Amino acid sequence: MTSDLRRLALGTVLPAFTGTTAPAWLLDRLREGLAGVVLFGRNIVSPEQVAALVRQIRDVRPDAIVAIDEEGGDVTRIHHDRGSPYPGNRVLSEYGDLAATRAVGRGIGAELRDLGINYNLAPIGDYVTDPLSPLTTRSFGRGPRDNAEHAAAWVQGLQEAGVAACVKHYPGLGGSLLDSHLALGRVPASRAEFESEHLRTFVRAAEAGTASMMTAHVIVECLDTEAPTTLSETVIGRLLRDEIGYDGVLISDALEMHGVLNHTGSLPAAAVGALRAGVDLLCLGAEQYEEATTAVVDAIVAAAGSGALAIDRLHEAGRRVEAMARAYPGTPGVPGTSDTAAERAIGAAAAWGATVTEGEVSIAGSGVHVVTFDDRTSIAAGPVPWGIGPELRAAGVEFRDLVLSPPINEDPDLPDVAPSDVVVAVVRDLPRHPASAEVFARLRAPRLVVVDMGYPGTEYPGAAGVIRTFGASRASSVAAVRALTEAGANLVG
C-alpha cells in the first residue's frame, strides 16, 4: 500500500535540478513514477544538448512531462543567452493581430517540440493595468477583451505545434502589485470587477482548450478572504471545476515562493495543502532539488496514509496529468526539424508594427552615447540580456556604451559629449525603480532620445524623442534600432 501511495505522490511532483545532464537521483525518481521535471536556463547550453538531456529523461520514463517556462518576450529559457527572437505578450496585444499572436505561439511550440519538450508554462493570462506591477509587459494587457483573446490565440498556436499550454496565474494576479516570489499579495476588487477584468481570460482559455492552468499565490478577496488560490478549495473546486467547468490539469506556481510559504510555513505543508485544495501537479521551484522532492513526497504519503489527504484526490490528480501526457507526448528531440522562419518573421513584423515613436528619434549623422539603465524587471525573467547594443553594432553604428546597474548612487559619467551628439537612454519600467528614475532625471545631454522597452505610459518631458517598444525581446531590440537608424521613420502602433 505504501509503495502505491508513493507512486501516486511522485506522479504529482515536478522538481528542478542543476547541471546539463540528468543527475542519478532524478533518473531514479523517474523510474519510481516522478511526473517529470522543469528545465531552467542553467540546464541549457545548446539545442543539441537539451535534446540529449530530454532523451536521457525519456529513456527511463517515456511519458515524462518535460516542462519549461518559455513565454517569449522578456522571459525565455531556450534563448537565455541572447534574448528571445519572439516578441512578448504586450507587443502582440499592441500589434492587435490575433493571427500573429497564434503564429508566435506556434513558432515557440515548434522549437520546444524539436527539443523534446512537451509542456510550456506559458502564456501569462494576467490582466495588468498598473506600471508598478511586477508582471508589466509579460501581460497582454491593453484591455480585458484583448487580453483574453490574445491569450487564447497564443494557447491555440502553441498546442497546434504539439506542446501543452499553461495559462497563468489563475484566477488572475494582475491586480496585485506584490511579487509572489517575495510576498503574499491581495486583490481587493469586487466580484463584478474581478470577473470582467481578470477572470474572463481564464474562462476564455478554458473555452479555447488549454491543457492546463497555473495557480496564483494571491488572495482574491471577493473569492476567498483567507487563503491564496493555491490553497483554496473554494477558488479551485467551487469556481474553476464546478462553475467554469474546467477539467484540465491545474499546476501550482512554484511552491518555494514566499507568497505560499509565508502562509503554510514549509514546502511539504504547501504541497499537501495544494493537493487538498485541488491542485494536480506541484511545481516545487527553481531551487528545489533532491532533498525537497523527498520531503514533499514523504509528506504527501504521510497525509494520504493518515486520512489528512484523500487518496481519491491523488487518483484524480494522476488521471488529469496522465491524460495531458497522452495528449501531448514528448517526441525524440531533433533540433532544427521545424522551419520556424515564417513564425519568427511574423513576430519581427509584430514587434516593428507595435513600435511607436514620438518626436525626433533619428541618430543619423550624430555621435552616439547609449546609456542603459539595467534594472531587472522580475525574478521570473532571470538574467536574460536585453537592450540595443548588439543590434546597434550589427547595424554598423559606432557608439559609446554605458551600462548603469543597480544600485545606482551617482550621476552617469558621459565624457566628451559634443554639442551635436545624441544620448540614447534605454529604460524599462522606470517607475518600478526609484533609484534609476532619480538618476535618469539628472541625465543631461545635448539631445536625448529615450528607448522605453517596458510598460507603456511613462512620460519623458526632457527628451527630444521617445521610442516605445512594449517589451525587451531581441525582436523588440531590432525594431528599436530600426527606428533609430531609419531617418524620418514614422511608426504607428
Side-chain angles (χ1 to χ4, degrees), residues 118-249:
N118 61 339
Y119 188 28
N120 190 7
L121 303 178
I124 286 273
D126 305 295
Y127 175 58
V128 172
T129 59
D130 193 311
L132 296 180
S133 168
L135 298 173
T136 60
T137 57
R138 293 173 65 199
S139 166
F140 287 103
R142 195 174 178 100
R145 183 181 180 281
D146 284 343
N147 194 75
E149 292 304 320
H150 280 276
W154 206 99
V155 164
Q156 289 164 342
L158 182 78
Q159 295 188 165
E160 284 170 0
V163 175
C166 180
V167 182
K168 55 192 184 186
H169 306 83
Y170 169 81
L173 190 59
S176 172
L177 298 184
L178 295 179
D179 189 331
S180 299
H181 291 84
L182 306 174
L184 173 61
R186 304 182 76 96
V187 179
S190 68
R191 178 67 183 256
E193 179 187 357
F194 189 81
E195 287 187 357
S196 66
E197 291 195 346
H198 303 284
L199 187 62
R200 67 185 295 165
T201 298
F202 298 91
V203 174
R204 181 69 184 91
E207 295 170 349
T210 185
S212 75
M213 297 187 194
M214 177 183 283
T215 62
H217 300 327
V218 68
I219 291 177
V220 181
E221 294 180 355
C222 65
L223 302 177
D224 187 329
T225 60
E226 301 298 326
T229 291
T230 305
L231 305 173
S232 174
E233 294 181 48
T234 298
V235 185
I236 295 173
R238 196 174 304 165
L239 180 55
L240 182 63
R241 301 304 190 189
D242 296 340
E243 292 186 33
I244 296 175
Y246 182 67
D247 193 41
V249 169

Side-chain angles (χ1 to χ4, degrees), residues 107-491:
I108 290 174
E111 294 185 14
L112 294 180
R113 184 192 62 220
D114 286 359
L115 299 176
I117 296 167
N118 61 339
Y119 188 28
N120 190 7
L121 303 178
I124 286 273
D126 305 295
Y127 175 58
V128 172
T129 59
D130 193 311
L132 296 180
S133 168
L135 298 173
T136 60
T137 57
R138 293 173 65 199
S139 166
F140 287 103
R142 195 174 178 100
R145 183 181 180 281
D146 284 343
N147 194 75
E149 292 304 320
H150 280 276
W154 206 99
V155 164
Q156 289 164 342
L158 182 78
Q159 295 188 165
E160 284 170 0
V163 175
C166 180
V167 182
K168 55 192 184 186
H169 306 83
Y170 169 81
L173 190 59
S176 172
L177 298 184
L178 295 179
D179 189 331
S180 299
H181 291 84
L182 306 174
L184 173 61
R186 304 182 76 96
V187 179
S190 68
R191 178 67 183 256
E193 179 187 357
F194 189 81
E195 287 187 357
S196 66
E197 291 195 346
H198 303 284
L199 187 62
R200 67 185 295 165
T201 298
F202 298 91
V203 174
R204 181 69 184 91
E207 295 170 349
T210 185
S212 75
M213 297 187 194
M214 177 183 283
T215 62
H217 300 327
V218 68
I219 291 177
V220 181
E221 294 180 355
C222 65
L223 302 177
D224 187 329
T225 60
E226 301 298 326
T229 291
T230 305
L231 305 173
S232 174
E233 294 181 48
T234 298
V235 185
I236 295 173
R238 196 174 304 165
L239 180 55
L240 182 63
R241 301 304 190 189
D242 296 340
E243 292 186 33
I244 296 175
Y246 182 67
D247 193 41
V249 169
L250 188 66
I251 183 173
S252 73
D253 204 349
L255 293 178
E256 69 183 2
M257 292 182 179
H258 290 287
V260 69
L261 279 187
N262 289 354
H263 198 85
T264 64
S266 73
L267 190 72
V272 172
L275 287 169
R276 187 186 297 117
V279 169
D280 304 305
L281 200 50
L282 304 169
C283 176
L284 300 191
E287 305 294 335
Q288 304 302 325
Y289 313 129
E290 181 180 10
E291 183 178 342
T293 302
T294 299
V296 164
V297 170
D298 288 348
I300 295 169
V301 170
S306 69
L309 174 64
I311 296 176
D312 285 349
R313 177 77 270 282
L314 292 178
H315 281 291
E316 179 185 52
R319 170 184 65 78
R320 291 196 182 111
V321 173
E322 289 165 8
M324 184 175 75
R326 285 194 302 271
Y328 298 92
T331 57
V334 182
T337 299
S338 301
D339 182 0
T340 58
E343 287 80 8
R344 288 193 179 201
I346 290 169
W352 172 243
T355 299
V356 173
T357 66
E358 303 161 8
E360 174 55 50
V361 300
S362 173
I363 60 174
S366 303
V368 180
H369 301 257
V370 176
V371 181
T372 303
F373 289 77
D374 193 20
D375 292 299
R376 191 173 177 182
T377 57
S378 71
I379 295 172
V384 176
W386 71 285
I388 63 173
E391 287 70 31
L392 267 181
R393 292 186 186 95
V397 176
E398 294 184 2
F399 62 96
R400 295 189 177 187
D401 196 13
L402 177 62
V403 177
L404 300 178
S405 300
I408 301 172
N409 299 313
E410 56 188 36
D411 293 338
D413 182 17
L414 299 175
D416 303 324
V417 179
S420 60
D421 286 354
V422 59
V423 174
V424 180
V426 186
V427 301
R428 58 178 178 176
D429 305 332
L430 205 55
R432 296 189 60 235
H433 307 285
S436 292
E438 288 182 13
V439 173
F440 176 87
R442 297 195 297 272
L443 190 62
R444 296 291 177 265
R447 184 163 69 91
L448 176 66
V449 174
V450 178
V451 176
D452 187 333
M453 307 189 81
Y455 191 88
T458 305
E459 298 298 325
Y460 304 99
V466 178
I467 299 171
R468 301 186 190 274
T469 65
F470 306 100
S473 68
R474 186 153 37 100
S476 290
S477 298
V478 169
V481 168
R482 181 177 174 184
L484 287 167
T485 56
E486 288 194 357
N490 181 23
L491 309 178

Side-chain angles (χ1 to χ4, degrees), residues 38-108:
V38 181
L39 302 182
F40 290 87
R42 62 165 177 264
N43 304 123
I44 295 172
V45 173
S46 68
E48 292 73 21
Q49 169 266 323
V50 177
L53 168 60
V54 175
R55 285 195 295 272
Q56 188 185 13
I57 290 166
R58 292 231 162 81
D59 280 346
V60 299
R61 178 155 190 183
D63 61 347
I65 290 169
V66 181
I68 199 166
D69 193 347
E70 190 66 32
E71 298 177 11
D74 294 4
V75 179
T76 178
R77 306 293 185 239
I78 62 175
H79 300 290
H80 69 94
D81 55 340
R82 294 185 61 201
S84 178
Y86 295 100
N89 290 350
R90 186 59 191 248
V91 171
L92 294 169
S93 180
E94 292 289 332
Y95 188 55
D97 184 340
L98 291 174
T101 298
R102 191 164 181 159
V104 167
R106 186 170 60 248
I108 290 174

Side-chain angles (χ1 to χ4, degrees), residues 10-11 13-15 25-26 29-30 32-37 61 293:
L10 281 163
V13 178
L14 283 183
W25 73 264
L26 180 67
R29 298 299 181 276
L30 287 164
E32 295 170 13
L34 186 72
V37 298
R61 178 155 190 183
T293 302

